Structure formats: structure tokens, C-alpha cells
Amino acid sequence: GTECNDSRLVNKDGHISVIGDPTEAALKVSAAKSGRPGTANRIAVIPFDSEKMFMATLDDMPDGRRFIHFKGAPEQVLEHCSSMNLGESEVPLQTDEILDAAHGMAKDALRVLGMVSKEVGKEVEEISVDDMTGFCFYGLQGMMDPPRKEAITAVEQCRQAGIRTVMITGDHLATAEAIARNMG
């Protein structure tokens, strides 16, 4: 999540601020808090696209290896995986269990992303959608984006005025339903 990311942490006079998309910023902050700040040198990128529902980067790592890092909607990234990481080993992909976990997180109103990667040779200098095969699944990350109080108030005022409110979102249906419940 920290390598396949366009946000940045900026330290100015001892104060850390984040520049970029709030979802990516949350991933960057989470990685920094866990002691894993981004250290890769980006070679190429497939930017996030709301139709594809993923982003991918080609990165040189400090240890000299090259990886494609790939993040997005769990349902999307799992289609491109052939294995999953369990600590020090790769095992066969357990798609149903991963999707069940992602659905459970979404029902708790979390925005859920899947994180996958694969090592590639140094001769790889560009990436395309055609390269998105044979990945190893590394995990899910859920982020809470609670509705602001003024949004809850505005929806209630609309309801009282007889205005039908409609939610448009790119989030998982279970996430949208949980947020709607939280907003009344």
C-alpha cells in the first residue's frame, strides 16, 4: 500500500503532513506507523481507474529486486492472483476465505483494499494491464471514513423535507449499506 501510492508524507519543522488522496494518505500513514515507509524507486505506473478498480506500480526495491505492486478492490486484485503469502511461504490462493474477510470488513463500514505483488526481472521497464497475472496476495487493509456530522444533519433535513436521498459511491455495497445505516 505504501509503494503503490501517489501520496507523500512531508516533514516540515518536525510536523508531519500528508499530501494526496485521503485513502492513499491513510495507507502511507499506516505503513509509516508500522515502520515500513515507502523506499522503492518507481519505474512505471498504471494509475487508478474507477472502471478497473486498481492501481499498479513497477518499483525497484532497495535490495536490488524489481516488483509490480498492485492494489485495489479485493474482488479485482484476486482475479490476478495465483498464490497468497503466509509469512515466509507462498501457498495456494484461498479466494473464498479472503472475500469473506473483505465482506466482513465492508459490513463494518470499512473501505477495503487488497494488496498484491510479484517479483519481475530487471528487463521489465514498463507495465500494462496484460502484465497483471501471477500475483501473490499479501493482505487486506480496511479504513474507516466516518460520515461528518454535518452530512448526517443534511441527510436528515432532506428526509424531513420529503427529499429522497441517493448515495453514489465506488465502495463495496456492504460498505455503502453500513455507512447509510450509520447516517440513519
Side-chain angles (χ1 to χ4, degrees):
T2 191
E3 304 301 355
C4 186
N5 194 314
D6 287 329
S7 68
R8 294 187 329 239
L9 298 179
V10 178
N11 186 342
K12 185 174 181 183
D13 302 325
H15 298 284
I16 304 292
S17 61
V18 183
I19 298 172
D21 173 79
T23 298
E24 289 199 333
L27 293 171
K28 190 69 81 169
V29 169
S30 174
K33 286 182 176 183
S34 71
R36 302 189 72 129
T39 56
N41 178 37
R42 182 177 293 178
I43 307 300
V45 64
I46 298 174
F48 178 80
D49 177 304
S50 59
E51 287 184 32
K52 293 185 307 255
M53 305 222 20
F54 71 81
M55 173 185 182
T57 57
L58 176 64
D59 302 300
D60 275 340
M61 303 305 292
D63 65 4
R65 298 184 299 161
R66 186 168 284 181
F67 281 85
I68 298 175
H69 294 105
F70 183 24
K71 76 170 189 296
E75 299 83 0
Q76 290 295 330
V77 299
L78 285 170
E79 290 180 11
H80 304 272
C81 292
S82 55
S83 63
M84 59 189 273
N85 182 281
L86 288 182
E88 296 296 317
S89 63
E90 287 187 23
V91 299
L93 189 63
Q94 299 172 9
T95 303
D96 290 340
E97 290 85 350
I98 294 167
L99 289 176
D100 286 347
H103 186 73
M105 294 167 74
K107 284 176 36 179
D108 288 336
L110 297 177
R111 175 174 291 151
V112 184
L113 292 175
M115 311 295 173
V116 305
S117 71
K118 73 174 177 179
E119 187 171 358
V120 296
K122 286 292 199 174
E123 73 282 356
V124 177
E125 295 183 3
E126 296 179 6
I127 54 175
S128 73
V129 174
D130 295 336
D131 299 315
M132 302 298 115
T133 62
F135 281 84
C136 180
F137 176 81
Y138 277 83
L140 299 169
Q141 184 155 353
M143 294 155 280
M144 175 64 71
D145 187 11
R148 295 190 313 262
K149 288 182 182 181
E150 56 269 24
I152 295 169
T153 301
V155 169
E156 177 57 23
Q157 289 172 341
C158 287
R159 188 188 65 73
Q160 289 175 2
I163 299 170
R164 182 173 156 246
T165 305
V166 177
M167 179 190 298
I168 300 171
T169 180
D171 285 333
H172 189 282
L173 176 60
T175 303
E177 289 173 342
I179 291 168
R181 273 193 306 281
N182 291 344
M183 294 183 73

